[in-house]
């Protein structure tokens, strides 16, 4: 992909200033994070990721003290494998230390700043690129999650890369660019499979281009075919591994059923809480024990895909039993997703920010980003034509479809602040514009 690196001296200076700002923010927050007990001893999903990545890098699969064996080597992936394999690469290259993955993720944060500058500049001009880069460098969620052993640190750069690849394809359609877009989505799905709703929505964009640009119908159709094909191919390693190791047909991970039950049970409130049917469920380490309890209940051995399907059926039963409550719950999840409160999952994100000397001084919150993003989108729609580049008009629809896919894909499950981090780059782009 030909990146727009033909920058003027002024633009290089602005990019350097944004990178310097982002570096200072991350350096200061790294010092804060390193002083917390969770830096060396993470909990919940972060602990599971740390264990999995370290075991892949060292070959030592001894579970942490007080935790059952999650049986990762002999069962289908319970959680998506993308992020633990990223950790394994970092641990293999730089040693198993608490700091190595955080430094790597903060360096990815600097890459985000550069990608944001290039994308904003290409679509709306230098000023937008600079503001967008400052947003990616200084919005509090980015350094916060870069210091956690959680997947948002990978999802923000994948979002920006996808938008840059789509922009490049629009500049000059080429099959390898369509394949690169599919690879971005496939890599994203190995980190968080809910993104697979996006390939189901992308035909809307292709159809829109088909209508607006009849002369490019062949390129649009070829894009769609290659995009879908490469997205599917990217998922094959996980699916084949699950089939080879466990003889189980699990595409990426088997946690869909239990997450659906968390979001749809008599005690569900839109957040994560343990459903009675699987309690206790304090961490991913306990999934094999949950499967064994389900086997006792149904009176026969269960593959992990069957256990997940059983829990999905229980969730569907709850939905059918009280559809009115389900609709209200979906509305509540929608409000929680877009609302101003930062909902914790592994940590209490809101209070982590409040009690951080650095994060609480960084300007802005989700409500600000959403409000400015909506205003920017409204101005974009109003100024279409000569005042807005044709490239920005073309990229706006797939960017919005990406946000819609991320939002809709979480409504059946539950809401947490980290689930909406990938929409922040799109909001930041329109806000900067």
């Amino acid at each position: 992909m030909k990146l727009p690196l033909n920058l003027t001296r002024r633009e290089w200076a602005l990019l350097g200033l944004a990178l310097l700002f982002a570096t200072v923010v991350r350096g200061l927050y790294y010092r804060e994070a390193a002083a917390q007990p969770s830096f060396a001893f993470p909990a919940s999903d972060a602990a599971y990721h740390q264990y999995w990545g370290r075991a892949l890098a060292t070959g030592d699969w001894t579970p942490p003290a007080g935790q059952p064996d999650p049986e990762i080597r002999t069962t289908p992936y319970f959680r998506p494998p993308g992020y633990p394999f990223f950790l394994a690469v970092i641990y293999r290259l730089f040693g198993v230390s608490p700091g190595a993955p955080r430094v790597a993720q903060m360096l990815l944060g600097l890459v985000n700043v550069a990608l944001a500058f290039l994308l904003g500049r290409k679509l709306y001009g230098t000023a937008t690129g600079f503001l967008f880069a400052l947003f990616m460098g200084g919005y509090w969620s980015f350094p916060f999650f870069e210091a956690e052993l959680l997947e948002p640190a990978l999802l923000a750069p994948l979002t920006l890369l996808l938008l840059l690849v789509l922009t490049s394809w629009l500049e000059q359609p080429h099959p390898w660019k369509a394949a690169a877009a599919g690879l971005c989505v496939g890599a994203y799905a190995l980190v968080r499979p809910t993104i697979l709703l996006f390939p189901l929505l992308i035909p809307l964009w292709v159809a829109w281009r088909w209508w607006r640009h009849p002369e490019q119908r062949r390129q649009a159709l070829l894009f769609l075919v290659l995009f879908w094909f490469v997205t599917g191919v990217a998922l094959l390693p996980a699916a084949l591994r699950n089939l080879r190791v466990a003889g189980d047909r699990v595409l990426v991970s088997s946690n869909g059923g239990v997450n659906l039950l968390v979001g749809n049970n008599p005690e569900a409130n839109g957040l994560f809480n343990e459903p009675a049917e699987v309690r206790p469920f304090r961490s991913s380490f306990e999934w094999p024990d949950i499967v064994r309890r389900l086997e006792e209940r149904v009176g026969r051995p269960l593959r992990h895909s069957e256990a997940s399907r059983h829990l999905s059926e229980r969730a569907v039963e709850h939905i059918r039993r009280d559809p009115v409550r389900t609709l209200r719950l979906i509305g509540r999840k929608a409000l929680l997703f877009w609302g101003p409160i930062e909902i914790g999952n592994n940590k209490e994100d809101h209070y982590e920010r409040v009690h951080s000397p650095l994060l609480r001084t960084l300007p802005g919150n989700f409500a600000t980003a959403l409000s400015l993003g909506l205003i920017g989108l409204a101005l974009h729609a109003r100024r279409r034509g000569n005042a807005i580049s044709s490239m920005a008009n073309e990229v706006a629809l797939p960017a919005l479809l990406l946000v819609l896919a991320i939002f809709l894909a979480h409504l059946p499950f539950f809401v947490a602040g980290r689930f909406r981090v990938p929409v922040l780059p799109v909001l930041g782009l329109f806000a900067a514009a």
Side-chain angles (χ1 to χ4, degrees), residues 135 139-140 338-342 353 362-376 420 424 427-428 430-432:
F135 173 79
Y139 185 79
W140 76 273
W338 295 110
I341 299 173
E342 291 293 340
R353 184 187 188 188
L362 294 176
N365 52 33
F366 189 81
T368 306
L370 176 61
S371 300
L372 292 177
L374 290 175
I375 292 171
R420 65 186 186 184
L424 285 168
L427 295 179
F430 287 120

Side-chain angles (χ1 to χ4, degrees), residues 265-282:
N265 67 79
E267 300 171 342
N269 60 4
L271 311 179
F272 179 86
N273 60 356
E274 303 168 87
E277 284 115 314
V278 298
R279 196 173 292 155
F281 180 37
R282 294 174 292 268

